[in-house]
Amino acid sequence: MNTLYCFENRSAPFVDVFRQTAERNGFKVVLQAPDANDADFMRFREVYQHLSVNPEGFELACFHRYFAMRSLLSLGERAIMADSDLFIQCAPESIPAELTANPDGFVGSIGIADGVSEEDISPHFSFWTRALLDDFCDFMIEQYVGNVERLREIYTHRCQKTSRASVSDMTLLYLWVQDRKIAFTNSNQLFGARYIDHNVSSTDCANARFETSFGRKKMLLGADGVRLRTIDGKTVEPLALHLQGRYKLAAMPLLTGNRVKLWQGSAYIAGGRIARQAMSRLR
């Protein structure tokens, strides 16, 4: 399982860093825009109902990638769907055996906020077969055709808790695993001293908590790459760092090992977050 499928139509330094770090570690990278004329995705668009504070185009792009990967993945092939804001530090053979043991199983990442697991599954470094993609694409269409009231209820409930509520592809992944009883492994946990990062801004995983700096996981730069450290002092090798949101700015400093640029960018991001929080309290 050495192929990463990434569906991206932007041109940006962080995309270049993703490709470079993946290829130098031995992955084959399929990096392209999704087919806008995919018939199954067009059917999905017809039934889709937008339940998110995010722009509709953003959410549809996230849904589109599953249909795009399904059209490329061969029967019997198992491969990884990857986001373009990843910093890859592992070879295919370094992926923990716990994640590859079931050749028919699905692997994704469940975030943890304040000790509570989210009811979403992130696909940013997720493991797929053609059969899984076939079933999930069918499931998504089924939900918007015949079960949209449940999605509306979920959205209403989330709106009561946060101003950033959404029913996204990650929500549908969570429901799919539950409803279809899909064989699933959560990658957001330490496997010995190895880890696939859920989100560099998230301080917890299923079995550890990380040291922080600038409101994100503390990143230790060295000759052997980037390392993280848990609050009990354990050094962890992130096989993939997920530079979500504004932390895409960290991609190039991480690639070049430029600590000063990394600190400057992190301070800028942290300062902006503090300012936004202060402004929201004044409203």
Side-chain angles (χ1 to χ4, degrees):
M1 189 173 60
N2 63 354
T3 304
L4 301 181
Y5 286 86
C6 179
F7 299 96
E8 176 63 83
N9 56 14
R10 292 171 291 183
S11 177
F14 69 87
V15 180
D16 297 334
V17 170
F18 159 69
R19 181 193 284 277
Q20 184 173 337
T21 57
E23 290 181 341
R24 78 180 182 186
N25 279 289
F27 284 99
K28 175 186 175 182
V29 178
V30 178
L31 176 61
Q32 63 186 56
D35 179 6
N37 297 314
D38 184 288
D40 291 325
F41 177 67
M42 296 298 288
R43 182 183 172 210
F44 174 80
R45 286 195 64 172
E46 290 175 357
V47 300
Y48 173 73
Q49 295 190 32
H50 188 59
L51 302 168
S52 174
V53 298
N54 297 317
E56 183 171 342
F58 170 83
E59 297 291 5
L60 283 170
C62 292
F63 284 109
H64 197 171
R65 54 188 163 176
Y66 304 96
F67 296 91
M69 185 170 175
R70 177 172 72 166
S71 70
L72 298 176
L73 202 64
S74 302
L75 291 173
E77 182 183 359
R78 193 172 190 225
I80 298 171
M81 178 185 289
D83 280 3
S84 60
D85 54 2
L86 293 175
F87 185 87
I88 305 295
Q89 292 198 132
C90 72
E93 58 269 21
S94 300
I95 295 172
E98 294 91 336
L99 300 180
T100 59
N102 183 351
D104 301 313
F106 169 60
V107 173
S109 185
I110 297 180
I112 298 178
D114 298 323
V116 178
S117 295
E118 298 173 351
E119 294 186 346
D120 288 319
I121 297 176
S122 174
H124 65 275
F125 196 82
S126 54
F127 298 13
W128 293 91
T129 64
R130 172 63 183 272
L132 289 169
L133 284 166
D134 283 341
D135 194 56
F136 182 56
C137 289
D138 290 345
F139 178 83
M140 288 191 288
I141 292 174
E142 289 170 13
Q143 297 311 296
Y144 282 98
V145 169
N147 215 358
V148 73
E149 284 304 320
R150 175 171 71 158
L151 302 183
R152 290 198 186 103
E153 289 174 6
I154 292 170
Y155 183 58
T156 298
H157 179 69
R158 292 183 175 186
C159 286
Q160 294 169 355
K161 293 184 175 182
T162 177
S163 61
R164 299 298 305 165
S166 69
V167 170
S168 67
D169 64 305
M170 298 188 295
T171 311
L172 272 291
L173 279 174
Y174 183 86
L175 296 175
W176 172 63
V177 166
Q178 304 300 314
D179 288 4
R180 299 277 220 251
K181 302 191 184 320
I182 301 297
F184 169 69
T185 302
N186 179 17
S187 63
N188 190 21
Q189 57 183 303
L190 296 189
F191 299 95
R194 293 180 294 170
Y195 175 59
I196 295 172
D197 182 35
H198 175 77
N199 182 339
V200 73
S201 298
S202 176
T203 59
D204 292 357
C205 69
N207 55 358
R209 175 170 290 181
F210 295 93
E211 289 186 2
T212 61
S213 178
F214 298 105
R216 53 149 172 84
K217 293 182 180 77
K218 186 175 183 179
M219 293 185 279
L220 310 172
L221 276 59
D224 56 352
V226 185
R227 296 295 182 267
L228 308 174
R229 193 160 54 212
T230 64
I231 58 173
D232 58 2
K234 181 177 183 178
T235 300
V236 174
E237 179 186 6
L239 305 182
L241 277 168
H242 191 198
L243 305 175
Q244 197 170 40
R246 290 174 173 82
Y247 278 105
K248 292 176 179 61
L249 293 172
M252 193 59 69
L254 289 175
L255 182 67
T256 59
N258 191 325
R259 291 180 176 83
V260 174
K261 288 289 186 182
L262 177 62
W263 293 338
Q264 288 175 339
S266 297
Y268 169 78
I269 294 166
R273 182 181 295 125
I274 292 169
R276 287 190 299 275
Q277 290 172 346
M279 290 295 292
S280 66
R281 286 194 292 268
L282 293 174
R283 292 173 184 167

